[in-house]
Amino acid sequence: FPGLFDIPLDKTIEEELIARQEKSFTALYQCLLCLFHHLKSVWAVLGESGISVKSLVAVLSFFVLAGKSKVASGHQRVNSLCAASVYLLLLRIPGSIGNKVFHEVLLDTCLDLTRHCWPQDSEKKRKKDLKSSQTEGKRSKPQRKDSPQMEMEEEEEEEVEEEVHLSGQDLMRIRDAVALLVQSLLRLLQTFPLKDSPQTMIHCFQVPPGCICTPGSFHTVEPAVALWHCYHECLRCADIQMVEKNEYRSHGAQAVGMLTSQMASEDYACFIKWLCNFSRSSKMVHRLFSVDVVMVLLEQPERRPEECRDPDLVCFLMHRFLIQNLLFARRMDESPTVQGHALNCLAQCLELPSLNATRAIHNLFCASENTLTHRISVQEVGSCQKNLCFLSFISVFNAAKENLALLLRRVKDSKTNVRKAALQALLGLLKHDVIPMSWENLQTLSERCRDPSVSVKKKALQCVGDLLSVKPECSVVQKAWLQGVVPAVADSETSVQDKALEALDQVLLSQVKPYSAGCHLDAGQRLMWDLLGLLCHECQNLSRYFSKAFTIWSKQNKFTPSFISNLISHTEADHAAGAWLLLSKVVSSSSRLPYGKILDAWDKMVRSKDVNATTCCHILCVMGDIAAHLNEETKERVVGRLISYVLCDCFCCCQAFLNQRCGELVSACESYLASIILTDNGAQNLDEELMVKHLHTLGVASLQCPAKVNKRTVLLVESVLTTHSEKLAECQTELPASLPLSQFKANWLPTRVRAHGVITLGKLALQNEELAQKYLPVFARELEVGTEVSVRSNVVVIMCDLCVRYTNMVDHYIPNISACLRDKEAVIREQTLIMLTNLLQEEFVKWKGSLFFDFMVALVDPVPAIASLTEYCLLHLLLKKNPEMFSQHFIECIFHFNSYTKHKSYNKFSQSERERIHFSLKGQQYREKRFQIYCFLLEHFTDAQRFNITNKINQTILACFADEELPLDADGANILSETFNILSLKEFKLQTISSSAGAAAGEEAEEENMATMAKAVLQAAQKKVVSQVRKKAFIENTVPLIISLKNLLEQKRSPVLRDLMGYLQVTMQDYRNEVKEIFSGDEQLAAEMEFALKIAEKERATVEQVDNDSLAGDGKKAQVRAQCMCSSDCSFKTL
């Protein structure tokens, strides 16, 4: 109603209203209310009376706005509130929307009147008085202020000065008018929908707290209860849009807290009872809001039981009820969002000042022996009651264990926000000693530092850091911190690395200060040396991660000369082991070092007798790093001391011990083998289990004492596999000049013994390069022609182990190993897959030759478990190391699996005839397996790789056939046909284009917020850009080749034409309305495509109609589909 607000009211009417005070409005209010209750049409009465609804609303608006001014009189404020009440009543009457009564701005203004009409205590005025008194007391030079700030203060002072004084009678009238407004709002909310007006909803929620916070507005309980009913209606009318956002929920919860603080205890208990039911609402957002309300109520003082006269309601007054029955009950909520929020709030409860709230948390998770003693030590109770108390304690104890177990399971929940919230709750329980500092509980925290989710990893790092700051003296906490933070240095996510490095820097590096014998170590220094002590002893397995941290720090120039000097000073302290550990990491990455101080520290440590092996290793590392900077005399002195102290006393003694003890084992095993193999009755005396034990012991012991293994030992082990025992009997000390390098020949020994003989022979070959070179061809031949499964399986293991030791030598035999991926025995295929994956991970083997394609064939293994294992190895172990692996080999897969060798670039690697036959997927009978491989590869392409591979197919396949570089014979036709079929796969479509942003259902729709909406808008824009780029590439690169190939195929009358048209039909689905534009160079092809698309559209509509027709039987559906397929065939033949 623009313009009407500024027109002054008629003077006569205004004087009459002033004389009647608010009676005119209350009379109108009662009249409208009476008409509404008697079911009479208010709008008809107004029309019969000649009153315009628009004019009536405009007049009401005039009075409403008049009361907003700070200089408004008491009469104007009362009239404003009464006019607002009349307007709210009008809105409630059915037909208000149709008669255009609703005006969102006017409604918001009415709801905001409670704040404007009641005079506020002027803090500004008190500030002004305070400033004036300070000015009188001090005559110092005034501080200069910016002009905008001065202007704002002057305006505020003018407003304070202009405020009118209201009498006590005026205040009473305003209070009654506010009560009437609240009652009108209550009536309005019973029928008027507000879910489409979120701003109005916020104003509705601000009315109750506004009334409560207004000084002196209400002094009795009844109005507060009425306000609660108003607020309850707000909650009832509020839909998902209101309570979904944190801001709305926070405002609402605070408002509920203000309302309940004014209620009597019985009313408060009734409200808690209602809230308990509300917390079990079917709507997720309502349950979420109930958790927020509980947290606000827990901040209020707990009510005393004697304040409630109804004994059935006393339990609702306790904080324990709020925590255990409302908050903790949500831990099992079906919504992960509610679960996470409840667990977060549970952790916050431990920080509340309420002792009862803290005690309630303790009762949920622990039941101490003190509680048991207290319950059963009272002398007045009888034995029966003591037993009941004991049983009650057992029940509480079991419930506490279950609650803790559930929380630990929530830490491993599938939802990210639940895991983060559970970590926070677990941290709170540990910090406040609610649950014990056991390794099981702390290990759960440290394990989450390696969570798949980045946000959970960061949260876990924060939790272990907070716990360490609270419990720095606890060794279990220290160990958990190290186990969580140190490995995170090698995390794949940079932000997690940075967080871990920051924590290590703060706790370790920054605490290195100069040391002197009389100095006192502060808490931070004691913690640092305790942690370094753990790294030297219990946590040595973290050394490689710790070294990575120092590698990163060295690039940041963190190790200054003063830092190293401070570190060296600690080598004389009790914690010298930690100091040498740090020095061993720092020295290698520092250019300027105090070599003299390091040598002095080295001399003192060498003279000491209490240096353990770990510290000795750290010292040797330091000396090795600085050796290049020492002069010759010093080097000779250090080497001499080193030999006398370390080598002679330690290494030599150790090796001598090994030679003696392990040599005895080798001799004993050799004697036993000879007694079985070299004697005539050896077969009769054979104990298979004992023979296996001796072979195993011989292999293990020989690794520790290579010098004790002679030629006779090798021949004995060889005789387990071959039939050379007669040569061994003739020459028991010398190895024969030559032995046939053929496959193993069967002998009288059992297969299990021969299998263990292979393992033992492999261990001997690991120490003898000549032996390895001699037996590698034998092992390879055994894989080809051997018949014993366990022997061939162990041969695969041995050859892969030899590949680690003699990489270049074994590289030639990798095709022999990979050929076992098509072995007839599943156990050998699985063993080979695992061993080759390990070698590829460590880069002892490269993707050369046919190895990649052998892995692809394993994807379609007849045993589902092996196929699944292959998929896991490729996706989770190998693809991460080489993300381009799939796209690099994709085109060659087409040629390789069809055994096509006529292309000048592809499928040219060497392959034996045996491998070619074993791994061939050529022919129609293997078409399904080939396309299973193609789909697998394409599913794990990025959109960039899909786009690039399309262009590459155009250049290397389609262009070659279009230019007739490749002959269009039978093999060529198969390749071209398969290419068109691959291009037609749905996996070939760009995911950015094919993914639909459909509306989420259920809870996901409820949890949708502005961030997801912004993401959807961004995805839509990205989809549009990508679609344009793809269309341009298709027109420029693909269409010319398609036209050339179509003409060529028509000339040759090739059946591949059908596949070409099928590909075009699939591709042109995205460009139905642009066929003529795209094929502007070939009008005939454009007409054919339009015809084919129309037929396909009709077929699709027919099939959908039949599928949706519930009266049609399966036979009729099949018949219609068959007809559609026949018509499709006819259309292609016509084309």
Side-chain angles (χ1 to χ4, degrees), residues 144 275 278 302 327 483 515 576 595 630 652 733 759 797 813 938 944 1019 1021 1055 1073 1087:
R144 181 182 178 277
L275 183 64
F278 183 76
E302 188 174 47
L327 182 60
Q483 295 287 354
Y515 173 79
Y595 302 116
L630 303 178
C652 294
T733 57
I759 295 292
V797 174
Y813 299 99
L938 288 170
Q1019 287 177 345
N1073 302 322

Side-chain angles (χ1 to χ4, degrees), residues 543-562:
S543 177
R544 59 194 180 103
Y545 303 112
F546 201 47
S547 301
K548 182 175 177 63
F550 282 86
T551 303
I552 298 172
W553 282 330
S554 65
K555 299 175 183 177
Q556 302 170 359
N557 299 321
K558 282 195 173 284
F559 310 129
T560 61
S562 61

Side-chain angles (χ1 to χ4, degrees), residues 766-801:
L766 284 172
Q767 307 163 68
N768 190 324
E769 186 173 355
E770 292 182 2
L771 197 62
Q773 194 169 5
K774 170 185 175 182
Y775 274 102
L776 272 173
V778 179
F779 290 146
R781 182 64 176 164
E782 178 67 15
L783 292 179
E784 292 182 12
V785 300
T787 57
E788 297 168 313
V789 176
S790 57
V791 172
R792 287 190 294 121
S793 178
N794 286 352
V795 167
V796 171
V797 174
I798 285 301
M799 291 188 74
C800 290
D801 285 345

Side-chain angles (χ1 to χ4, degrees), residues 802-819:
L802 290 173
C803 183
V804 176
R805 181 67 185 272
Y806 311 112
T807 305
N808 294 332
M809 188 188 303
V810 182
D811 187 64
H812 177 69
Y813 299 99
I814 293 299
N816 300 83
I817 301 174
S818 65

